[in-house]
């Protein structure tokens, strides 16, 4: 073993997602992209992988990932889809399935998702249905994907009825998180992923939220040790929740939707486009969920203020007027609530929220007074 490999081994952390019969590891550390072949050895049904990436990430990292497999005797092919949410539409999905089949895969071929949440969700769903199911590995390249979407097996695509409405729970065989890959990620994308990091503290780890308050700015400025720590803590939290409630059959996994009911409405109103990234919507949504909790007398107002203050301090757009690329939007309470009713979390038209009794004390509520909700949104629009 040469020195760089030893150093990489020391820096590597492995977290197990403990699912009976389908348990898998999340390997986290710097420099792991070049070691993906070794990490996957023993997991591949045959020495053949197809790497799926996007047009931005593939030129940066696909050749290195392919080389990492090839040095362990694994044959590779690389396919790239357009970057961005449009690749998660039926057309993009159909194109990818045909491109995959052009490679003449067999049921022992493994797909490898190299990219952000879009590539991960798309490739995971392709793996779930290609030849009725082949294995897949996640190599996430955005902070959002490293701390959330690559772990837990939610895969899927979008339809004209909404996001992620066609999909499957389909777990990867391995997740390889190379923390160095975030060096090329645009700051806005890093910040959007950070909202999901802070989310874990707000759900049930108040000490981690305090850590975020003290270290978030340094992490976002590029501090590698803090970045790794935040990714590890997030993956530990996600692995714990997924192991206990893989298919969201209790309200436990639903806690990961903190900020999502508001966030979904904001995203729907901004067209799920570049004016508001998913993680940004979650950040603004978490601030609103804490405000609502405070207005309903469930949560101390100081806790709601702490959430809003921290997210704004790192640069997330928590005020509605900060959303929309500088143009003040014509937000309307009734329209936002209408989007909430169309959200897949709503049950029989009844709104579902993740609320909180304080920082780190989140719970699922289907019992929100709509007059309070109206008042909150009216005030948020006017602020
Ligand atoms: P994304 O995949 O669109 O990536 C954001 C942008 O960053 C893209 O343009 C991409 O090309 C670029 N990029 C990615 N990695 C890069 C790198 N290292 N360097 C430079 N550029 C890079 O967006 P995302 O925020 O990662 O994911 C959003 C998607 O994730 C949404 O579709 C959402 O529904 C989904 N999601 C899924 C889950 C889940 O549990 N499955 C959870 C949260 C979000
Ligand atoms: N990102 C929400 C979940 O995985 O359940």
């Amino acid at each position: 073993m040469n020195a760089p490999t030893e150093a990489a081994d020391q820096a590597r952390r492995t977290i197990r997602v403990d699912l009976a019969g389908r348990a898998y590891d999340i390997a986290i550390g710097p420099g792991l992209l070049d070691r993906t072949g070794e990490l996957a050895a023993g997991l591949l049904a045959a020495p053949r992988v197809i790497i799926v990436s996007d047009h931005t990430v593939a030129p940066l990292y696909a050749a290195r990932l392919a080389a990492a497999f090839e040095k362990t005797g694994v044959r590779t092919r690389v396919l790239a889809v357009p970057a961005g949410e449009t690749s998660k539409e039926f057309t993009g999905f159909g194109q990818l399935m045909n491109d995959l089949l052009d490679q003449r895969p067999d049921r022992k071929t493994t797909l490898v998702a190299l990219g952000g949440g879009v590539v991960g969700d798309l490739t995971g769903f392709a793996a779930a249905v290609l030849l009725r199911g082949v294995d897949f590995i996640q190599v996430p390249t955005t902070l959002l994907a490293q701390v959330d979407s690559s772990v837990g097996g939610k895969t899927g695509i979008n339809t004209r009825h909404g996001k992620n409405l066609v999909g499957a729970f389909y777990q990867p065989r391995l997740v390889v998180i190379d923390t160095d890959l975030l060096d090329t990620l645009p700051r806005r994308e890093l910040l959007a992923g950070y909202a999901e990091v802070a989310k874990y503290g707000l759900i049930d780890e108040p000490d981690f939220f305090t850590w975020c308050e003290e270290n978030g700015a340094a992490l976002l400025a590029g501090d590698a040790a803090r970045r790794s720590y935040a990714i590890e803590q997030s993956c530990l939290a996600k692995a714990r929740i997924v192991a206990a409630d893989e298919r969201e059959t209790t309200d436990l996994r639903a806690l990961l939707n903190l900020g999502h009911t508001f966030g979904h409405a904001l995203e729907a109103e901004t067209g799920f486009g570049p004016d508001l990234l998913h993680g940004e919507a979650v950040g603004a949504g978490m601030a609103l969920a804490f405000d609502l909790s405070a207005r309903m007398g469930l949560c101390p107002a100081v806790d709601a203020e702490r959430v809003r203050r921290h997210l704004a301090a790192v640069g997330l757009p928590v005020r509605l007027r900060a959303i929309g690329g500088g143009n003040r939007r014509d937000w309307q309470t009734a329209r936002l609530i209408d989007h909430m009713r169309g959200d897949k979390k709503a049950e029989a038209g009844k709104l579902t929220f993740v609320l909180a009794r304080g920082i780190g004390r989140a719970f699922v509520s289907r019992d929100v007074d709509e007059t309070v909700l109206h008042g909150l949104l009216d005030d948020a629009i006017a602020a």
Side-chain angles (χ1 to χ4, degrees):
M1 210 184 258
N2 59 28
T5 310
E6 271 172 27
D9 272 340
Q10 278 166 15
R12 188 172 96 221
R13 170 89 194 261
T14 303
I15 292 167
R16 189 88 172 148
V17 184
D18 210 357
L19 289 165
R22 281 161 299 113
Y24 56 95
D25 285 341
I26 309 167
I28 304 170
L32 291 189
L33 185 72
D34 303 312
R35 301 191 57 207
T36 307
E38 294 162 49
L39 294 167
L43 295 174
L44 302 183
R48 181 157 190 226
V49 302
I50 304 176
I51 297 166
V52 180
S53 190
D54 73 27
H55 288 154
T56 301
V57 176
L60 293 170
Y61 300 118
R64 274 175 59 197
L65 182 59
F69 277 110
E70 278 159 16
K71 76 183 177 204
T72 62
V74 174
R75 277 189 300 141
T76 62
R77 280 281 180 280
V78 178
L79 298 178
V81 302
E85 200 66 34
T86 51
S87 283
K88 273 178 69 176
E89 286 170 11
F90 271 116
T91 322
F93 178 70
Q95 177 73 46
L96 174 64
M97 291 311 290
N98 278 313
D99 290 349
L100 286 166
L101 289 164
D102 286 345
Q103 302 299 320
R104 298 193 171 269
D106 60 35
R107 299 198 59 203
K108 292 186 171 177
T109 303
T110 297
L111 305 190
V112 182
L114 172 70
V118 164
V119 164
D121 283 11
L122 177 72
T123 309
F125 187 50
V129 294
L130 181 68
L131 307 176
R132 298 204 175 86
V134 299
D135 287 344
F136 88 113
I137 291 173
Q138 290 269 20
V139 183
T141 65
T142 61
L143 182 59
L144 180 139
Q146 294 191 347
V147 300
D148 186 3
S149 62
S150 67
V151 175
K154 279 191 181 175
T155 72
I157 56 171
N158 305 332
T159 75
R160 67 186 163 81
H161 294 278
K163 271 187 71 176
N164 301 323
L165 292 180
V166 170
F169 284 101
Y170 197 68
Q171 301 292 342
R173 295 295 315 273
L174 172 71
V175 182
V176 178
I177 298 179
D178 182 338
T179 51
D180 289 341
L181 305 191
L182 300 181
D183 289 344
T184 54
L185 191 67
R187 176 165 171 99
R188 188 175 168 205
E189 297 287 351
L190 195 66
L191 203 46
Y194 178 78
E196 304 276 8
V197 171
K199 184 182 80 178
Y200 293 108
L202 295 175
I203 290 173
D204 62 359
E205 298 189 33
D207 292 348
F208 183 56
F209 186 72
T210 304
W211 183 91
C212 287
E213 289 176 308
E214 288 163 3
N215 297 279
L219 176 172
L220 289 161
D223 184 294
R226 288 181 170 89
R227 199 160 69 185
S228 292
Y229 178 79
I231 294 168
E232 286 170 19
Q233 293 309 305
S234 300
C235 287
L236 276 169
K238 179 111 194 217
R240 166 173 56 78
I241 291 171
V242 167
D245 182 20
E246 181 188 7
R247 288 177 173 249
E248 212 165 299
T249 43
T250 70
D251 278 345
L252 181 60
R253 187 164 181 169
L255 294 177
L256 294 171
N257 294 329
L258 175 60
H260 283 60
T261 301
F262 286 107
H264 172 85
L266 300 175
E267 275 186 287
E269 199 54 26
T270 49
F272 295 98
D275 279 355
L276 186 66
L277 304 179
H278 176 71
E280 293 172 335
V282 169
M286 292 192 302
L288 287 165
F290 269 79
D291 287 346
L292 179 60
S293 306
R295 278 198 186 205
M296 289 173 68
L298 298 164
C299 164
V302 285
D303 281 16
E305 276 155 29
R306 250 179 89 189
V307 174
R308 187 166 280 282
R309 194 177 327 118
H310 175 56
L311 298 177
V314 293
L316 279 160
V318 282
R319 294 179 71 192
L320 297 195
R321 69 167 63 222
I323 295 170
N327 302 322
R328 186 136 195 220
R329 283 189 171 266
D330 177 26
W331 299 105
Q332 288 179 22
T333 296
R335 279 223 305 263
L336 290 172
I337 293 180
D338 214 39
H339 289 307
M340 292 176 188
R341 280 193 216 292
D343 189 352
K344 65 180 179 304
K345 291 181 288 302
E347 284 175 11
K350 207 158 171 51
L351 303 179
T352 303
F353 288 88
V354 180
L355 300 180
R357 296 195 174 84
I359 285 171
R361 300 181 61 204
F363 66 98
V364 175
S365 169
R366 296 177 185 84
D367 193 21
V368 164
D369 181 339
E370 289 204 17
T371 320
V372 180
L373 178 64
H374 263 268
L376 175 86
L377 287 171
D378 285 348
D379 291 349
I381 289 168

